C-alpha cells in the first residue's frame, strides 16, 4: 500500500498516527521509503520491525531486528524480539541460536527459557521443552536470577506446561493449567481456546462449544470491524488481513474448532457455515488450518479444489499434521490408488512421523487390494485380529469397573472401547468390500456374522448387513429385519433416511408379498416430500422418485417391461424437479436393457408403451440440457466433451436407437 507524501516536520507524528490507527501496512510503506535514505536509523528499523510483526510478516520483522542487533549489540531487547520473530516465522534453529546469548542475562533468562521451551515444543521435542519450562519455574520459585518479574510471566510458563500436558493426552490437567493462568491474566481468548481444545480432545463437545461461544461473542462485541458472519450472510466485505489483533482475538482458531466439532457430529452444513462465519480474508491470506478444513468440509461439492488445497499444504512447512493422512484417505475414497501409493512413496519421512501404525497398515492394505486382493485381505485380517483382542480386553475392563462401582474407570474404558470400535469397523468394511466386488455376497455375510459380537449395535454394520442380505435375493425377510429398525428410528423425519434404504425396504416388502407395508411407506415418504416442498419450494427432493425407479427397475429385471418402464417414467414427473444425474442413471439403465431385449426380439411392447417411451425421452431432452449425464472424477486429465456430457445428448441417442429398432423412418 503506497503512503501519501508527508509534510515537512510531521514525519514522526504521521507514522505514529498510522500505527495507532491500525494502518500498519501504510506505515510499512512510509518507513521503507524513508529507510532507503537512512538505512541505519534505529527508530525507523525498530518501528518497521514492529509493523511487520503486527502484520504477522514475521520473516521481515526478524530481518529488521537482525539489523538492529548488528547496529546496537548493547541493546539485548532487540535480540529477544529477533528470536521471537524467527520462532513465529517457523525458523526454529535460527530462533534457538538468537535466544541462546540471553540465557546468561538475568533480566532476560526467564523469557529466553520460555521461548526456547516453546520452540522445542513446536519441533515436537517435548522432553526438552518440559525441562526448560521446569527450569524457568524453578528459577522463579527460588527467586534466583531467572525469577519471573511478575505473575504474568509465571502464568506464561504454566501455559507452556499446560500445552505439554495436552500433548501427553492429560487433557483435564492441561485445562486446569490454562484456567489457572487465566485467573492471573484475566480473560484471554487464546487461553479460552486452549481449554476448548482440551474439551474437544476429550470428546466433551458441549463445554468446548461454550468456550468457543464466549470467544466469538466477545470478538463480535469488542471488534465489530472484523466482520464476523458477514460472508455467510452473503454480504461482500473486504479482507480484514492477518493482523496481530485478529490473532489475539482467537476468532480464526475458534471458528476452525467449531467447524471440526460440527463435522465430527455429522452436521456438515453447520461446519461449512462456521468456516464462512470467520473474519473474511483473501484465499492467499488463509492460514494452513483454515485451508485444510475448507478442503475437507467442501470435498463433496468441490473435490477438485479440495485435492488442490491438500496437495498444496503438503508442500508447505509447517502444515497441519492431519493433512498427510487425510489426503491419502481421500485418494483411496475416490479410487485414486496409484496417486495414494505415489504420495506414500514420495513422503516416506512423513509416514512414521504423521501416520499411526494403524492408519499406515490400513492404507497399505487398501492400496495392495488393487493388485493383490488376497494379500490385502490377510493384512486387514491381521489388523482386525489385533483390534478384536483390544476390544475383548476393554469389554472386560468395563465389566470389572462396573462391578467395582468405579464410574470414572467405566467412562474411560467405554471411551477407549468406542475409539477402538471406530478403528475396527473400517477394517471390517474393507475386508467385506473385497468379496463384495467379487459378488461373493455369502462370504461378505460370513465376515459380518463373525463381527456381530462387537458390532451388532453399530449403525454402519447394521446397514451393510441389510444390504448384503438384500443382494442375495433369497433373504428379503432377513433384510427387512435390519432395514426396518433404521427406518423406524427416523420415521418422524423419514427423509433423513437414505433413499436407497427406503427403496430396498419397499422392494423387500413387495417380494415378500407385504404390498400394504410398501404402500404405507411410500405414502409416508410422499407426505414428507410434500411438507418439505411446502417449507422449501425451491428444494429438489428425490426420495420417492428413487424408490419408484428402483421398483421399476425390479420389474424390468423380472421381464415385466410394460409395468416397469411405465413406473420409471412416472417416477420422473415433474421433470423440472425430478430429473437429475442420479435419477437419469437409474432410468437410462432400464431403457438400455429394454432396447437390448427389443433388438434381440426377446420382447414385444405395445405401441402405446413405445409412444410413452418416446414422449418421455423428448421431455428428458427438453429438461436435461444443463444436467450432466455423468459426474466426472475430480482429477481426470481428459475431460468429456461438454456437449456430450448432458442428459439431453444421451436421451436423444436413446430415442434414435428406439426409432432404429422399431423401424421408424419418418
Amino acid at each position: 500500500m503506497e503512503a501519501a507524501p508527508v509534510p515537512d516536520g510531521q514525519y514522526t507524528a504521521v507514522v505514529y498516527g498510522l500505527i495507532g490507527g491500525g494502518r500498519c501496512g501504510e506505515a510499512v510503506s512510509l518507513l521503507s521509503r524513508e529507510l532507503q535514505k537512512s538505512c541505519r536509523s534505529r527508530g525507523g528499523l525498530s518501528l518497521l520491525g514492529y509493523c511487520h510483526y503486527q502484520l504477522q510478516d514475521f520473516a521481515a520483522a526478524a530481518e529488521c531486528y537482525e539489523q538492529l542487533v548488528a547496529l546496537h549489540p548493547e541493546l539485548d531487547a532487540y535480540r529477544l524480539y529477533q528470536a521471537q520473530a524467527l520462532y513465529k516465522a517457523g525458523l526454529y534453529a535460527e530462533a534457538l541460536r538468537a535466544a541462546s546469548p540471553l540465557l546468561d542475562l538475568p533480566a532476560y533468562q526467564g523469557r529466553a527459557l520460555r521461548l526456547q521451551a516453546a520452540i522445542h515444543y513446536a519441533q515436537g521435542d517435548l522432553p526438552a521443552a518440559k525441562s526448560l519450562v521446569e527450569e524457568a519455574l524453578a528459577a522463579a520459585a527460588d527467586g534466583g536470577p531467572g525469577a519471573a518479574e511478575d505473575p504474568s510471566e509465571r502464568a506464561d510458563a504454566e501455559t507452556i506446561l499446560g500445552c505439554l500436558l495436552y500433548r501427553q493426552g492429560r487433557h483435564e490437567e492441561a485445562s486446569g493449567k490454562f484456567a489457572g493462568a487465566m485467573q492471573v491474566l484475566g480473560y484471554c481468548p487464546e487461553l479460552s481456546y486452549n481449554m476448548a481444545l482440551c474439551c474437544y480432545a476429550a470428546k466433551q463437545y458441549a463445554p468446548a462449544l461454550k468456550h468457543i461461544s464466549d470467544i466469538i461473542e466477545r470478538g463480535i462485541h469488542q471488534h465489530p470491524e472484523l466482520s464476523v458472519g458477514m460472508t455467510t450472510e452473503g454480504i461482500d466485505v473486504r479482507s480484514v488481513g492477518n493482523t496481530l489483533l485478529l490473532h489475539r482475538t482467537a476468532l480464526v482458531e475458534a471458528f476452525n474448532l467449531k467447524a471440526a466439532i460440527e463435522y465430527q457430529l455429522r452436521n456438515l452444513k453447520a461446519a461449512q457455515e462456521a468456516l464462512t462465519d470467520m473474519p473474511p480474508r483473501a484465499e492467499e491470506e488463509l492460514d494452513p488450518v483454515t485451508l485444510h478444513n475448507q478442503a475437507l468440509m467442501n470435498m463433496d461439492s468441490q473435490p477438485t479444489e479440495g485435492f488442490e488445497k491438500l496437495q498444496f499444504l503438503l508442500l508447505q512447512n509447517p502444515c497441519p499434521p492431519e493433512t498427510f493422512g487425510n489426503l491419502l484417505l481421500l485418494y483411496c475414497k475416490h479410487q485414486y490408488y496409484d496417486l495414494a501409493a505415489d504420495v506414500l512413496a514420495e513422503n516416506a519421512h512423513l509416514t512414521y512421523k504423521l501416520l499411526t501404525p494403524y492408519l499406515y497398515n490400513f492404507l497399505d492394505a487398501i492400496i495392495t487390494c488393487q493388485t493383490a486382493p488376497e494379500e490385502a485381505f490377510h493384512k486387514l485380517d491381521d489388523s482386525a485380529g489385533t483390534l478384536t483382542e483390544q476390544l475383548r480386553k476393554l469389554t472386560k475392563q468395563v465389566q470389572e469397573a462396573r462391578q467395582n462401582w468405579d464410574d470414572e474407570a467405566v467412562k474411560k474404558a467405554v471411551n477407549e472401547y468406542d475409539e477402538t470400535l471406530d478403528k475396527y469397523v473400517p477394517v471390517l468394511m474393507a475386508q467385506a468390500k473385497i468379496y463384495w466386488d467379487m459378488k461373493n455376497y455369502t462370504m461378505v455375510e460370513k465376515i459380518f456374522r463373525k463381527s456381530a459380537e462387537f458390532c451388532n449395535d453399530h449403525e454402519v454394520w447394521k446397514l451393510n448387513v441389510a444390504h448384503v442380505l438384500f443382494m442375495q435375493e433369497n433373504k428379503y425377510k432377513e433384510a427387512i429385519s435390519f432395514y426396518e429398525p433404521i427406518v423406524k428410528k427416523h420415521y418422524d423425519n423419514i427423509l433423513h433416511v437414505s433413499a436407497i434404504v427406503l427403496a430396498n425396504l419397499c422392494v423387500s416388502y413387495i417380494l415378500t408379498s407385504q404390498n400394504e407395508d410398501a404402500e404405507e411407506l411410500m405414502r409416508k415418504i410422499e407426505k414428507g416430500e410434500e411438507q418439505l416442498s411446502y417449507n422449501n419450494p425451491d428444494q429438489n427432493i428425490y426420495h420417492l422418485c428413487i424408490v419408484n425407479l428402483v421398483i421399476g427397475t425390479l420389474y424390468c429385471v423380472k421381464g415385466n417391461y410394460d409395468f416397469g418402464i411405465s413406473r420409471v417414467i412416472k417416477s420422473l414427473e415433474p421433470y423440472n424437479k425430478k430429473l437429475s444425474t442420479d435419477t437419469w442413471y437409474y432410468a437410462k439403465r432400464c431403457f438400455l436393457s429394454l432396447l437390448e431385449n427389443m433388438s434381440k426380439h426377446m420382447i414385444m411392447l405395445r405401441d402405446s408403451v413405445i409412444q410413452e417411451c418416446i414422449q418421455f425421452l423428448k421431455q428428458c431432452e427438453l429438461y436435461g440440457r444443463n444436467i450432466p449425464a455423468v459426474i466426472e472424477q475430480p482429477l481426470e486429465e481428459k475431460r468429456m466433451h461438454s456437449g456430450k456430457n448432458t442428459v439431453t445428448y444421451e436421451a436423444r441417442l436413446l430415442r434414435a436407437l428406439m426409432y432404429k429398432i422399431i423401424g421408424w423412418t419418418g
Side-chain angles (χ1 to χ4, degrees):
M1 191 179 292
E2 190 62 40
V6 179
D8 290 339
Q10 295 184 30
Y11 178 78
T12 304
V14 169
V15 170
Y16 277 102
L18 289 171
I19 294 170
R23 294 156 65 188
C24 290
E26 292 176 58
V28 164
S29 178
L30 192 61
L31 287 163
S32 299
R33 198 169 62 203
E34 200 63 29
L35 281 166
Q36 288 174 356
K37 303 173 190 173
S38 177
C39 63
R40 298 171 65 86
S41 165
R42 175 188 161 191
L45 279 169
S46 181
L47 285 171
L48 185 60
Y50 173 83
C51 289
H52 279 311
Y53 198 92
Q54 291 294 316
L55 293 168
Q56 298 202 51
D57 186 353
F58 300 117
E63 280 184 31
C64 293
Y65 291 125
E66 185 180 9
Q67 290 180 55
L68 285 163
V69 167
L71 290 169
H72 301 281
E74 74 282 1
L75 297 174
D76 299 307
Y78 289 135
R79 193 177 296 280
L80 178 66
Y81 301 153
Q82 180 197 2
Q84 287 173 333
L86 288 166
Y87 159 63
K88 289 283 191 180
L91 300 167
Y92 301 130
E94 293 88 336
L96 283 170
R97 280 199 298 274
S100 289
L102 298 171
L103 294 172
D104 299 325
L105 304 173
Y108 291 96
Q109 188 187 43
R111 278 176 281 181
L113 283 169
R114 293 197 304 278
L115 179 58
Q116 287 201 335
I119 294 165
H120 283 296
Y121 178 84
Q123 289 178 310
D125 186 355
L126 302 187
K130 187 179 180 187
S131 172
L132 285 162
V133 77
E134 284 174 348
E135 187 181 338
L137 285 166
D142 294 342
E149 294 172 4
D150 59 54
S152 68
E153 293 201 6
R154 182 175 181 85
D156 285 346
E158 291 286 346
T159 300
I160 299 171
L161 209 53
C163 293
L164 287 163
L165 289 166
Y166 173 83
R167 287 285 286 271
Q168 291 166 5
R170 295 157 65 183
H171 305 122
E172 199 170 327
E173 293 174 66
S175 190
K177 292 287 183 187
F178 299 135
M182 198 184 286
Q183 285 181 339
V184 175
L185 300 171
Y187 183 83
C188 172
E190 289 162 298
L191 288 172
S192 187
Y193 167 75
N194 287 354
M195 290 193 284
L197 200 58
C198 290
C199 294
Y200 170 74
K203 296 191 175 179
Q204 297 171 359
Y205 296 141
L209 287 168
K210 174 69 176 69
H211 287 300
I212 290 167
S213 177
D214 290 344
I215 295 167
I216 293 169
E217 283 175 19
R218 285 172 183 265
I220 292 170
H221 178 69
Q222 294 174 2
H223 300 286
E225 71 276 13
L226 292 178
S227 306
V228 170
M230 297 292 190
T231 307
T232 304
E233 295 295 326
I235 302 166
D236 191 18
V237 284
R238 57 182 288 183
S239 164
V240 299
N242 280 318
T243 61
L244 202 60
L245 168 67
L246 177 63
H247 176 68
R248 283 174 178 157
T249 63
L251 281 168
V252 169
E253 293 83 353
F255 278 117
N256 270 315
L257 187 56
K258 185 180 180 184
I261 291 170
E262 297 293 0
Y263 189 77
Q264 290 287 351
L265 296 172
R266 308 278 196 277
N267 300 328
L268 187 57
K269 190 176 179 188
Q272 291 167 337
E273 279 187 8
L275 293 178
T276 53
D277 277 345
M278 68 172 64
R281 290 171 295 165
E283 189 166 63
E284 63 272 13
E285 295 173 329
L286 295 178
D287 58 285
V289 175
T290 302
L291 207 60
H292 169 272
N293 288 347
Q294 279 187 354
L296 202 60
M297 289 165 203
N298 296 298
M299 203 70 195
D300 290 342
S301 56
Q302 299 174 322
T304 305
E305 293 87 335
F307 279 121
E308 285 172 358
K309 286 173 182 174
L310 293 173
Q311 288 160 351
F312 168 77
L313 283 171
L314 198 58
L315 300 173
Q316 306 307 302
N317 184 27
C319 78
E322 297 82 5
T323 305
F324 187 48
N326 284 338
L327 179 59
L328 290 166
L329 286 168
L330 286 164
Y331 274 150
C332 291
K333 180 183 175 182
H334 287 79
Q335 300 183 1
Y336 292 120
Y337 302 109
D338 290 345
L339 287 175
D342 289 345
V343 169
L344 265 177
E346 290 164 9
N347 297 278
H349 62 292
L350 297 178
T351 301
Y352 301 103
K353 186 180 175 185
L354 300 178
L355 298 183
T356 61
Y358 159 78
L359 186 53
Y360 174 77
N361 291 335
F362 179 73
L363 288 163
D364 180 45
I366 296 295
I367 294 165
T368 304
C369 188
Q370 309 318 304
T371 51
E374 194 174 327
E375 183 188 341
F377 186 87
H378 289 306
K379 286 184 176 184
L380 291 164
D381 211 36
D382 289 341
S383 294
T386 305
L387 291 164
T388 51
E389 194 178 322
Q390 289 176 22
L391 288 167
R392 287 196 180 96
K393 283 181 182 174
L394 289 164
T395 303
K396 191 177 177 185
Q397 285 178 25
V398 171
Q399 290 168 348
E400 288 173 355
R402 281 178 178 154
Q403 286 169 1
N404 297 330
W405 301 93
D406 188 342
D407 291 343
E408 196 59 40
V410 169
K411 186 179 172 185
K412 186 184 175 190
V414 167
N415 283 341
E416 283 183 31
Y417 182 92
D418 289 342
E419 285 174 14
T420 308
L421 187 61
D422 286 343
K423 291 178 181 177
Y424 175 60
V425 170
V427 172
L428 181 71
M429 294 305 152
Q431 280 185 294
K433 187 178 183 297
I434 292 171
Y435 284 101
W436 179 279
D437 291 343
M438 297 175 184
K439 296 187 166 49
N440 187 347
Y441 302 121
T442 308
M443 192 63 191
V444 176
E445 185 186 350
K446 188 178 174 184
I447 290 167
F448 285 152
R449 295 291 184 197
K450 277 172 64 181
S451 59
E453 175 188 354
F454 308 110
C455 303
N456 59 352
D457 287 329
H458 200 283
E459 294 294 323
V460 172
W461 182 86
K462 288 191 282 191
L463 178 62
N464 283 287
V465 170
H467 287 334
V468 80
L469 291 168
F470 179 83
M471 291 302 292
Q472 289 179 69
E473 297 186 357
N474 59 351
K475 295 188 177 180
Y476 292 115
K477 283 194 173 177
E478 292 95 322
I480 289 169
S481 71
F482 280 93
Y483 280 133
E484 272 187 342
I486 296 168
V487 173
K488 284 179 179 174
K489 185 178 178 182
H490 302 283
Y491 204 67
D492 293 335
N493 295 297
I494 197 81
L495 300 182
H496 287 183
V497 182
S498 163
I500 203 66
V501 170
L502 297 171
N504 286 359
L505 181 56
C506 275
V507 168
S508 299
Y509 280 146
I510 292 165
L511 292 172
T512 54
S513 304
Q514 299 178 58
N515 290 13
E516 287 182 11
D517 291 331
E519 287 170 11
E520 185 187 338
L521 180 59
M522 290 175 76
R523 281 195 296 271
K524 179 71 177 173
I525 298 166
E526 191 172 6
K527 282 182 183 173
E529 288 197 356
E530 284 172 0
Q531 184 61 46
L532 196 59
S533 294
Y534 179 76
N535 295 332
N536 299 289
D538 297 329
Q539 187 175 346
N540 292 342
I541 315 143
Y542 301 106
H543 280 63
L544 190 61
C545 171
I546 288 172
V547 170
N548 279 312
L549 279 168
V550 171
I551 292 170
T553 304
L554 168 72
Y555 280 97
C556 290
V557 169
K558 299 288 183 186
N560 187 350
Y561 283 97
D562 275 20
F563 182 81
I565 286 290
S566 295
R567 189 86 181 217
V568 167
I569 290 170
K570 285 185 172 57
S571 72
L572 286 170
E573 295 172 355
Y575 300 99
N576 63 325
K577 291 278 187 183
K578 302 299 181 186
L579 189 60
S580 71
T581 304
D582 289 337
T583 56
W584 174 246
Y585 170 76
Y586 285 106
K588 72 182 176 187
R589 287 171 69 202
C590 293
F591 273 84
L592 286 165
S593 171
L594 168 68
L595 292 168
E596 182 185 6
N597 283 301
M598 285 174 69
S599 67
K600 293 175 180 177
H601 302 289
M602 292 172 70
I603 58 165
M604 292 288 290
L605 281 186
R606 289 178 287 115
D607 287 351
S608 60
V609 176
I610 288 173
Q611 283 306 312
E612 194 180 359
C613 290
I614 288 167
Q615 287 306 312
F616 167 76
L617 292 170
K618 283 182 176 178
Q619 291 297 312
C620 290
E621 284 181 49
L622 182 63
Y623 289 99
R625 293 182 190 281
N626 299 316
I627 300 171
V630 177
I631 301 295
E632 293 183 87
Q633 286 285 67
L635 300 179
E636 287 296 322
E637 289 182 14
K638 192 175 180 181
R639 294 283 170 183
M640 293 176 69
H641 189 288
S642 58
K644 291 182 178 181
N645 187 22
T646 64
V647 170
T648 294
Y649 180 81
E650 290 193 353
R652 194 172 290 149
L653 272 181
L654 288 174
R655 188 156 62 94
L657 279 171
M658 182 160 275
Y659 284 148
K660 190 173 182 180
I661 289 166
I662 63 174
W664 185 78
T665 55

